[in-house]
Amino acid sequence: MSLGFSHNMMLAAYGTAWRIARPVLDRNKRLKHGLSQRLVPYGWSKRAHVWIQAASGGEAFLAWQMLREMPDDQQLTILLTSCTKQGIEVLEKAKAWAAQEKSYLDVLVNYFPYDQPHLMKRAVEMVAPQTIVLLETELWPGLMSACTEMNIPVAVFNGRMNPRSLAGYLATPEFWRRIRPAMVHAISDKDARRYAALFGEQGVYTMNNIKFDSVSVGSKTAKNPLVGKVLKKNTPLVVLGSVREEEESDVLELIRNLKEARPKTSIALFPRHMERVGLWEMMLTGAQLPVVLRSKITEPPAPGTVILWDTFGELGYAYQLARAVFVGGSLAPLGGQNFLEPLACGKNPVIGTSFHNFQWAAGVIDEKMVYSMEDVDGVFAQLMRILKRAAKPEVTRKRFSTWLQERQGGTKQVMNALWLLLKRG
């Protein structure tokens, strides 16, 4: 399909901007990983039936969830791409999982090319997919133009678009309408209306957020591996999970207040990034707080100890044992961390006011399953209330499970849409 003179002129200007920016981008710390793949060398990819683009780690988990729902009678080659190292790491794990669980799928993983029009055209020609899936807000002019020229349908799944993004796209509405996706499945009525304002209403639908499908509500099963080794059974415990650098001073104050109010309550501190562990150890020691590294524990420390977690993979186990939970990334304007994980363990977490990364799950805050507090003093007060009288885990799990079930099923929705596109091809 010909895109027309005006579109090609704008696309040429877009390509010029890429050429000017390339020397800077090539030296960018985040983009240096996979640089050779971003330039689409010969043999970058073989042909695939479906190309799924996941911008970063969060979207990569959505792509993995789609692999889980692939039917057992379809032998497909699927290319998964991401822009970031974190996203590629998740996709590689998804590929390894598929090799074990979905061996009839041939899963490929590559870095997403620079959207420079000539590079993206070469990539699309090389892959020759029957359809391309863009997860969330992934509108790439070079890619979408190449697909339009080659009559390859593009689908936006789990779509979201904020007013600011829409205003930017509407500066050049005709450009975008020439390369409109074949279909858009948006996660809310508001998002769907924004896509419709840009592309027109045809092919724009609403769906349940795929992210809800990856959440499972746990129940009490096997013995928790931390019991007896790291914590004595029934030790009163507060977990401070996924604490970020920008909120460390607030969290240190929170720890001091908790220790003063509840000297026999242990505190499990999980920094979001391991490189902060050494500094946390210095701060806690300097504040004359009893601290021990998780990796140094050979038997449960005395009640009231601050356990500084310097090992991976145990936050979920700690949530199971907690009486009260704070989830970080929320006392500074960072967008929040995963507050659904403690809920799935039957604990009502406390967070600050910054949770825009999890705005899609804000309903649990509205229904008082998660407590969003204005500042560190509010967080402390709510943790104290929970410590005095926590909800029964089985009650919280049941309530959260009911809420969650009403919002799941998004993956099946998009898989049905994907098969329609594949049959059309």
Side-chain angles (χ1 to χ4, degrees):
M1 173 183 171
S2 176
L3 292 172
F5 178 77
S6 62
H7 185 97
N8 285 329
M9 288 296 292
M10 291 184 69
L11 197 63
Y14 177 69
T16 299
W18 267 100
R19 284 195 295 275
I20 294 171
R22 271 279 305 279
V24 177
L25 294 175
D26 290 351
R27 294 192 296 272
N28 184 279
K29 288 182 179 180
R30 291 187 67 194
L31 298 178
K32 68 179 182 179
H33 300 287
L35 178 60
S36 62
Q37 290 187 27
R38 298 179 198 274
L39 302 179
V40 196
Y42 178 78
W44 174 76
S45 178
K46 64 181 181 181
R47 291 185 171 232
H49 297 90
V50 182
W51 177 353
I52 301 176
Q53 160 59 6
S56 189
E59 294 84 357
F61 281 110
L62 302 184
W64 192 345
Q65 190 65 31
M66 289 181 66
L67 291 185
R68 295 179 191 277
E69 292 290 338
M70 292 284 177
D72 295 342
D73 59 349
Q74 297 288 330
Q75 293 187 338
L76 298 173
T77 300
I78 300 173
L79 171 64
L80 305 177
T81 58
S82 182
C83 302
T84 68
K85 182 174 182 286
Q86 181 189 31
I88 290 294
E89 288 171 351
V90 174
L91 295 180
E92 289 288 1
K93 291 177 182 177
K95 176 181 178 179
W97 173 87
Q100 294 292 321
E101 303 295 331
K102 301 269 185 178
S103 57
Y104 47 87
L105 296 178
D106 183 10
V107 178
L108 316 172
V109 174
N110 277 332
Y111 276 92
F112 188 65
Y114 283 149
D115 196 48
Q116 209 166 345
H118 79 281
L119 291 179
M120 198 55 82
K121 185 175 182 179
R122 187 161 76 217
V124 174
E125 288 175 342
M126 200 177 295
V127 180
Q130 290 176 239
T131 189
I132 290 180
V133 172
L134 305 177
L135 292 171
E136 300 206 343
T137 307
E138 279 280 300
L139 304 181
W140 296 97
L143 173 63
M144 295 170 71
S145 296
C147 289
T148 300
E149 287 187 303
M150 290 180 244
N151 294 315
I152 296 171
V154 173
V156 176
F157 290 154
N158 228 61
R160 56 190 177 92
M161 182 183 292
N162 61 43
R164 185 176 179 180
S165 296
L166 175 61
Y169 292 131
L170 287 176
T172 53
E174 289 304 317
F175 176 88
W176 290 103
R177 283 171 189 158
R178 282 186 176 275
I179 56 174
R180 72 181 312 280
M183 62 173 63
V184 174
H185 288 250
I187 59 173
S188 74
D189 291 337
K190 288 182 179 180
D191 290 293
R193 285 195 292 270
R194 290 173 191 137
Y195 275 104
L198 178 61
F199 294 123
E201 294 184 1
Q202 184 178 356
V204 178
Y205 311 94
T206 57
M207 60 171 285
N208 291 338
N209 196 321
I210 296 174
K211 291 178 179 177
F212 287 121
D213 293 339
S214 63
V215 180
S216 59
V217 181
S219 59
K220 205 168 183 180
T221 52
K223 180 183 176 182
N224 191 303
L226 301 183
V227 175
K229 181 178 180 182
V230 181
L231 292 160
K232 292 180 180 178
K233 190 175 182 180
N234 298 324
T235 297
L237 177 69
V238 176
V239 173
L240 310 177
S242 300
V243 173
R244 301 278 294 274
E245 178 180 355
E246 294 84 348
E247 59 193 352
E248 286 177 350
S249 59
D250 280 338
V251 173
L252 182 61
E253 179 186 346
L254 178 61
I255 294 171
R256 283 197 187 103
N257 292 339
L258 287 169
K259 286 299 300 171
E260 183 178 347
R262 300 280 298 233
K264 296 298 183 183
T265 296
S266 295
I267 297 172
L269 173 60
F270 286 78
R272 180 69 179 87
H273 300 111
M274 283 295 173
E275 61 265 25
R276 305 302 298 175
V277 167
L279 291 168
W280 261 115
E281 188 174 19
M282 291 173 59
M283 286 190 290
L284 292 166
T285 302
Q288 298 184 327
L289 292 164
V291 58
V292 61
L293 291 175
R294 160 66 182 94
S295 61
K296 303 295 185 182
I297 293 176
T298 56
E299 59 181 31
T305 301
V306 179
I307 303 172
L308 179 55
W309 238 268
D310 60 341
T311 57
F312 287 105
E314 295 183 331
L315 180 56
Y317 293 126
Y319 282 151
Q320 291 173 19
L321 299 178
R323 185 169 178 83
V325 170
F326 164 75
V327 180
S330 58
L331 282 172
L334 300 164
Q337 298 295 145
N338 187 355
F339 52 72
L340 297 182
E341 188 176 2
L343 258 184
C345 296
K347 310 301 161 69
N348 297 105
V350 183
I351 62 174
T353 56
S354 180
F355 53 87
H356 58 260
N357 291 341
F358 288 84
Q359 191 64 47
W360 53 274
V364 292
I365 299 172
D366 298 334
E367 298 195 23
K368 304 299 183 184
M369 285 185 271
V370 173
Y371 301 100
S372 176
M373 313 307 292
E374 288 293 329
D375 52 28
V376 68
D377 292 334
V379 169
F380 169 70
Q382 185 59 40
L383 287 173
M384 290 298 296
R385 285 190 284 270
I386 293 173
L387 285 167
K388 290 175 183 176
R389 190 176 181 180
K392 293 182 179 179
E394 57 271 22
V395 173
T396 298
R397 276 196 297 265
K398 184 177 180 180
R399 189 179 171 208
F400 177 52
S401 180
T402 300
W403 183 90
L404 188 63
Q405 287 172 9
E406 296 173 356
R407 291 159 177 80
Q408 291 180 320
T411 314
K412 288 184 178 179
Q413 289 176 270
V414 301
M415 294 308 295
N416 289 336
L418 179 60
W419 299 135
L420 288 176
L421 290 176
L422 289 174
K423 288 177 182 178
R424 191 185 302 175

